[in-house]
């Protein structure tokens, strides 16, 4: 069943419409090189072809990254056909294979982690800063519906972010405002075939059940982008004001400053710190975050040592200590012993919204996509 965001008589998405969707992610390098995650489905194929036309007009190019999860017998052949299809449209592509044993439970989550790990590793290997993901308006509405069912807070109900700044790669989702029906129409207009993944309609998976039940509507996502941008801006300002980075592998938050924050902002700052330090893709549960934020804000009883205040949260250890050379107290957040996973990047502590509104240039431009070197000399946008 189609989402309520889709329309029966959809028009193809044109290059003239796609360019403004990319503009908020700029400025880009003078000859941008971007990667596109391509599954062979209609959404990612449409994104890859639209991005190819956009990049070529700027003297740049797109690299298609195709993940073969190896979960179906047909997957290897489908990956090869997708690579050949992209090549026929002038897009170079690489197949990334998920090798090794697959878990008996939690397969979708494990496949997602493997997929992003392979994609980010390929981007780093090729020196590519920008990874395009084909999530669209229907996906966004379904995500919000799923999170609402879990009683997510305002950040969760804001849906997927259009940009996620990783340590070396930016994840870009330019199609979050575009209904899937328009992407289908785009491929049909170009006479491009696609592959339908049977898991998309498999009722064992929550997203497929929501899609079949038609539990999403356009009103679900209306106005959320603006409110998210406002919250991210406030969070960025708080992080820059209160977070200190003088400890290896850890961050410190000024206790007095944290206690002055409003409840919602304090919870969001702690959540972002836990995700960054603990290398987590998702925040801790809301009730645990709220209890921990209240604990970070409360006064310290006289006569109690710092260690008596310590506790753990989502694979991180939180320690109340004095700042070096002063009596100022701060909370130190570090990975719990034996829990650090160097393969995972986690979430950035300072939201990407900060980089879009502060300073004369975007930091992702201080990078040479060819040899990986960094330089902040001016480049053409």
């Amino acid at each position: 069943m189609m989402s309520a965001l889709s329309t029966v008589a959809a028009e193809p998405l044109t290059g003239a419409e796609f360019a403004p969707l990319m503009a908020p992610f700029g400025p880009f390098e003078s000859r941008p090189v971007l990667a596109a995650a391509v599954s062979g489905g209609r959404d990612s194929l449409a994104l890859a072809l639209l991005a190819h036309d956009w990049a070529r007009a700027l003297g740049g190019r797109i690299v298609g990254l195709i993940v073969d999860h190896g979960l179906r017998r047909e997957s290897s052949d489908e990956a090869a056909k997708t690579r050949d299809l992209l090549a026929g449209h002038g897009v170079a592509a690489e197949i990334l294979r998920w090798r090794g044993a697959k878990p008996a439970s939690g397969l979708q989550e494990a496949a997602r982690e493997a997929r992003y790990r392979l994609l980010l590793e390929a981007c780093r290997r090729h020196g590519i800063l920008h990874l395009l993901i084909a999530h669209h308006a229907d996906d966004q509405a379904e995500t919000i519906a799923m999170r609402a069912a879990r009683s997510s807070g305002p950040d969760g109900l804001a849906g997927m972010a259009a940009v996620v700044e990783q340590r070396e790669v930016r994840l870009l989702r330019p199609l979050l405002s575009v209904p899937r029906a328009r992407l289908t129409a785009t491929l049909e207009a170009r006479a491009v075939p696609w592959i339908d993944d049977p898991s998309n309609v498999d009722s064992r998976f929550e997203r497929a059940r929501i899609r079949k039940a038609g539990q999403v509507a356009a009103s679900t996502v209306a106005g959320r982008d603006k409110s998210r941008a406002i919250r991210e801006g406030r969070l960025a300002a708080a992080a820059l004001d209160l977070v200190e980075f003088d400890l290896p592998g850890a961050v410190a938050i000024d206790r007095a400053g944290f206690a002055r924050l409003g409840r919602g902002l304090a919870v969001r700052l702690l959540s972002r710190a836990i995700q960054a330090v603990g290398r987590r893709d998702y925040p801790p549960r809301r009730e645990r975050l709220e209890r921990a934020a209240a604990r970070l804000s409360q006064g310290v009883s006289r006569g109690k040592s710092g260690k008596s205040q310590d506790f753990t949260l989502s694979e991180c250890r939180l320690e109340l200590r004095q700042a070096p050379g002063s009596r100022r107290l701060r909370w130190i957040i570090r990975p719990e012993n034996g829990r650090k996973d160097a393969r995972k990047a986690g979430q950035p502590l300072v939201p990407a919204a900060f980089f879009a509104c502060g300073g004369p240039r975007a930091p992702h431009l201080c990078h040479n996509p060819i040899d990986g070197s960094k330089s902040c000399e001016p480049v053409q946008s």
Side-chain angles (χ1 to χ4, degrees):
M1 181 175 182
M2 277 195 176
S3 157
L5 286 174
S6 300
T7 59
V8 176
E11 294 292 328
L13 190 66
T14 66
E17 292 174 294
F18 184 73
L21 298 178
M22 292 294 294
F25 303 120
F28 289 91
E29 301 87 348
S30 56
R31 292 179 176 82
V33 179
L34 300 87
V38 186
S39 66
R42 70 190 79 187
D43 312 330
S44 59
L45 277 176
L47 173 61
L49 296 180
L50 288 163
H52 170 64
D53 294 341
W54 173 85
R56 187 173 56 179
L58 298 174
R61 60 189 176 90
I62 295 292
V63 176
L65 298 178
I66 306 162
V67 176
D68 176 10
H69 297 87
L71 299 177
R72 295 182 293 114
R73 286 180 296 178
E74 305 88 352
S75 66
S76 180
D77 288 341
E78 290 174 352
K81 289 178 180 177
T82 300
R83 179 190 58 199
D84 295 343
L85 188 152
L86 290 174
H89 288 81
V91 179
E94 176 183 353
I95 297 175
L96 312 172
R97 303 191 188 280
W98 183 22
R99 304 187 187 278
K102 309 299 191 291
S105 61
L107 184 59
Q108 270 210 327
E109 180 61 25
R112 179 189 180 277
E113 289 186 3
R115 178 166 61 253
Y116 278 98
R117 174 176 55 81
L118 291 168
L119 290 169
L120 295 178
E121 286 174 355
C123 286
R124 295 186 188 104
R125 189 167 62 252
H126 290 289
I128 295 176
L129 288 173
H130 319 284
L131 173 61
L132 296 171
I133 307 294
H135 290 131
H136 48 72
D138 296 51
D139 291 328
Q140 183 74 297
E142 291 161 5
T143 296
I144 292 170
M146 291 163 61
R147 292 178 179 178
R150 303 187 189 110
S151 301
S152 291
D155 287 337
L157 292 178
M160 294 177 283
V163 56
V164 176
E165 301 273 359
Q166 299 284 359
R167 284 178 172 80
E168 300 172 3
V169 181
R170 302 195 309 154
L171 274 62
L172 310 181
R173 297 184 175 104
L175 300 178
L176 287 178
S177 63
V178 180
R180 188 186 198 197
R182 295 203 66 190
L183 302 178
T184 302
T186 300
L187 292 189
E188 290 174 340
R190 298 176 180 226
V192 175
W194 65 83
I195 299 167
D196 284 322
D197 186 341
S199 68
N200 291 332
V201 293
D202 190 334
S203 296
R204 291 177 300 173
F205 304 124
E206 181 183 15
R207 188 177 292 273
R209 293 195 299 271
I210 288 176
R211 187 174 298 144
K212 283 183 178 181
Q215 295 176 3
V216 295
S219 59
T220 309
V221 294
R224 294 192 186 274
D225 287 345
K226 183 177 180 180
S227 62
R228 183 187 191 120
I230 293 172
R231 287 196 303 273
E232 292 282 80
R234 291 172 179 166
L235 175 57
L240 293 172
D241 187 39
L242 300 178
V243 180
E244 301 165 15
F245 301 93
D246 57 315
L247 299 171
V251 299
I253 300 177
D254 181 76
R255 194 209 68 84
F258 186 86
R260 289 193 294 268
L261 295 178
R263 175 184 173 188
L265 183 55
V267 169
R268 288 195 292 276
L269 179 59
L270 177 58
S271 174
R272 190 62 68 102
I274 292 295
Q275 287 181 266
V277 174
R279 301 179 184 269
R280 296 174 58 88
D281 291 324
Y282 301 103
R285 290 190 177 277
R286 181 77 181 182
E287 60 272 15
R288 296 189 65 199
L289 270 174
E290 290 180 343
R291 289 197 301 268
R295 190 165 178 175
L296 264 64
S297 300
Q298 68 187 12
V300 181
S301 302
R302 288 183 177 274
K304 285 193 174 183
S305 66
K307 289 186 178 181
S308 68
Q309 306 288 328
D310 297 355
F311 66 101
T312 60
L313 174 65
S314 298
E315 302 182 2
C316 290
R317 184 166 184 80
L318 290 82
E319 306 168 347
L320 185 63
R321 299 289 187 273
Q322 289 184 342
S326 76
R327 301 186 65 181
R328 179 174 61 89
L329 292 174
R330 58 183 190 168
W331 282 100
I332 298 170
I333 304 175
R334 64 175 80 251
E336 196 174 358
N337 290 339
R339 293 283 191 168
K340 186 174 180 180
D341 185 354
R343 297 173 300 175
K344 296 183 65 176
Q347 297 296 319
L349 199 155
V350 180
F354 167 74
F355 299 112
C357 62
R361 61 184 290 111
H364 65 269
L365 294 180
C366 306
H367 178 95
N368 185 324
I370 304 301
D371 62 14
S373 64
K374 295 190 175 183
S375 169
C376 281
E377 294 299 317
V379 296
Q380 298 176 358
S381 61

